[in-house]
Amino acid sequence: MLDVSHSIPVDVAAATVQRPFDLSADTTRRLAPFGAQVPAFLNGYFRSWTPYRPHWNYEDGVIWKGALDLYLVTRDPALLDYVLQEMESRILPDGSMPTFLPKEYNIDHVNGGKILFPLYAITGDERFRKAMDVQYAQLKDHPRTRSGNYWHKQIYPHQVWLDGLFMAQPFQASYARMTGNEVLFADTVAQFSSVDRLLKKDNGLYFHGWDESRAERWADKQTGLSQNVWGRSMGWWVGALVDVYEASEGFSEHLRDEIARITRDTLNALLKFRSENGLWYQVVDQGDREGNYEEASASAMVAYGLMKAARMGIMGKDVSDTGIASLHAVCDRFVTPGALNGICGVAGLGNVPYRDGSYEYYLSEKITPNDPKGVGALMWALSEGVRAKETL
């Protein structure tokens, strides 16, 4: 069974305070153009925050990344202090990671490791450099498909999900750069190219998953593909692309151009399915179908990708403007002082109870206010939104 034993406050403004936390007046001022409710929500979220799970996990990693993305823009010590406090028990002075479970061969467990690079750059603390090697050790012998992609998890053999590209590849690209290993970066590019070849629909979007073995009930027996385009999986894919491109600065332009090409193609395809409200749907390319809804985490992730791709020169300023408008739409529609609403709590393929990847399945998953996948994505997008607005 899936471990979903976490507890997420539905109203962070009324939740029990776990720690003191106050964004600086300057950060509040810089976030206020997206709505006065935005800094109020973030203060309440961090004050009431508790770890999603006790072991090293991707959900907490999404929040850590969000806090550091905002810190790198605002230099607000409250954001950095939050992450450093979390690392006190998770990364020991010798670089060991007592809550990291590498032998589960779960690609999600790699996601948190991407914060090690900014933490090392900011603090110079050698424990973060040593922890990079601990984190990378999982990938050295993580099982792969015959196509060369990492399995999503050992419990999901032979499967590639779009989610997994976000979980592992920004870390791998950053580690390649840290160690000067362009062969490792070439492996990252090859894994993206493989997904681009195997999982893409005719409309330029991507199916959520692929089973090379064709053994799963959700997998088409001819292609191995799942049935639908899930919104957050597209968000994970976009986030992976722009983060890898940023992390790969200095490597072969030929390799980086492949990431840039896939990024442009993906974002141009997504723009065709943007709703009239500037958002993206739970099942992206079926917005007019009964029961479908505009989903917060996917919309924030795509907005992040649009703004970051423009900032890095992959796409033009008009794309940044679109991303800013979509971020405003997310904040206006979903953010209150107590909650980020409209988040699909979880969605996947297989397992127990069985998730068959049907349209009806994606619409059946619970909407979970303040789920970290949405809150983290909001912070990524806000960091890019602040950058974009302040360079106009």
Side-chain angles (χ1 to χ4, degrees):
M1 296 288 289
L2 295 174
D3 176 9
V4 290
S5 58
H6 53 276
S7 177
I8 301 171
V10 297
D11 181 352
V12 300
T16 302
V17 173
Q18 303 291 336
R19 63 179 53 72
F21 185 93
D22 289 285
L23 294 170
S24 71
D26 183 62
T27 300
T28 299
R29 175 188 62 80
R30 295 166 79 180
L31 293 175
F34 300 99
Q37 76 278 18
V38 172
F41 165 69
L42 291 177
N43 275 326
Y45 188 85
F46 281 111
R47 288 169 188 162
S48 62
W49 187 88
T50 58
Y52 193 82
R53 291 184 179 135
H55 56 265
W56 190 258
N57 66 87
Y58 86 92
E59 292 93 342
D60 289 334
V62 168
I63 297 295
W64 301 334
K65 169 179 159 55
L68 285 178
D69 281 0
L70 273 178
Y71 170 77
L72 291 171
V73 174
T74 65
R75 297 294 168 174
D76 190 330
L79 294 161
L80 178 60
D81 289 348
Y82 152 74
V83 179
L84 289 174
Q85 287 171 20
E86 284 305 305
M87 294 304 107
E88 284 302 307
S89 62
R90 295 178 183 267
I91 301 177
L92 302 185
D94 63 357
S96 60
M97 300 170 66
T99 66
F100 174 47
L101 307 173
K103 294 308 179 183
E104 286 189 356
Y105 293 113
N106 180 340
I107 208 69
D108 290 345
H109 292 346
V110 180
N111 177 58
K114 62 189 65 171
I115 68 165
L116 299 171
F117 301 92
L119 285 177
Y120 182 54
I122 293 163
T123 68
D125 190 333
E126 282 297 319
R127 67 182 169 127
F128 297 126
R129 175 63 189 88
K130 294 173 182 176
M132 295 174 197
D133 297 334
V134 176
Q135 182 82 81
Y136 179 64
Q138 175 181 328
L139 293 181
K140 286 195 293 186
D141 53 355
H142 194 98
R144 296 180 184 237
T145 63
R146 290 190 301 274
S147 64
N149 286 83
Y150 293 129
W151 287 6
H152 191 64
K153 300 180 184 181
Q154 187 166 242
I155 63 169
Y156 299 142
H158 314 291
Q159 296 172 37
V160 177
W161 300 6
L162 293 184
D163 317 28
L165 278 295
F166 178 84
M167 302 304 163
Q169 297 306 333
F171 172 85
Q172 179 161 299
S174 297
Y175 190 82
R177 187 176 175 189
M178 175 64 69
T179 57
N181 187 347
E182 190 163 60
V183 172
L184 186 59
F185 175 57
D187 177 70
T188 286
V189 176
Q191 293 196 46
F192 277 103
S193 297
S194 176
V195 170
D196 185 55
R197 183 178 72 256
L198 294 167
L199 276 72
K200 187 187 286 187
K201 287 189 72 170
D202 291 342
N203 63 14
L205 303 180
Y206 295 81
F207 294 101
H208 185 182
W210 174 68
D211 177 9
E212 186 177 57
S213 72
R214 277 69 165 168
E216 287 286 348
R217 298 202 311 270
W218 56 257
D220 182 278
K221 296 309 176 188
Q222 298 302 312
T223 65
L225 293 165
S226 60
Q227 300 176 49
N228 285 290
V229 178
W230 176 41
R232 189 157 67 236
S233 73
M234 287 300 306
W236 293 132
W237 172 251
V238 166
L241 286 162
V242 295
D243 288 356
V244 162
Y245 188 83
E246 181 178 50
S248 65
E249 184 178 353
F251 281 141
S252 159
E253 287 306 312
H254 172 71
L255 291 171
R256 298 186 81 222
D257 285 348
E258 174 69 351
I259 298 297
R261 177 195 67 78
I262 297 171
T263 303
R264 280 191 297 272
D265 289 351
T266 300
L267 290 173
N268 283 328
L270 279 164
L271 287 170
K272 296 175 184 176
F273 295 96
R274 186 172 179 250
S275 76
E276 62 182 14
N277 298 315
L279 303 167
W280 281 268
Y281 286 93
Q282 169 75 342
V283 180
V284 179
D285 52 357
Q286 300 185 50
D288 57 353
R289 192 167 172 183
E290 183 178 358
N292 210 353
Y293 61 92
E294 294 161 321
E295 199 275 335
S297 67
S299 298
M301 289 176 179
V302 177
Y304 168 74
L306 290 167
M307 291 182 284
K308 190 163 184 175
R311 175 168 66 84
M312 294 187 300
I314 296 173
M315 302 186 79
K317 181 183 179 300
D318 58 323
V319 170
S320 179
D321 294 341
T322 301
I324 293 171
S326 289
L327 173 57
H328 275 287
V330 169
C331 294
D332 292 345
R333 172 76 168 277
F334 298 117
V335 182
T336 72
L340 172 59
N341 297 297
I343 309 167
C344 171
V346 67
L349 297 163
N351 213 298
V352 180
Y354 199 79
R355 303 171 295 180
D356 65 3
S358 65
Y359 177 83
E360 292 75 17
Y361 160 68
Y362 287 110
L363 272 293
S364 74
E365 284 288 7
K366 183 180 179 181
I367 296 174
T368 307
N370 298 329
D371 189 277
K373 280 89 77 179
V375 177
L378 174 66
M379 289 191 283
W380 316 341
L382 286 168
S383 70
E384 290 297 327
V386 170
R387 288 178 191 267
K389 280 182 175 289
E390 293 180 356
T391 56
L392 292 176

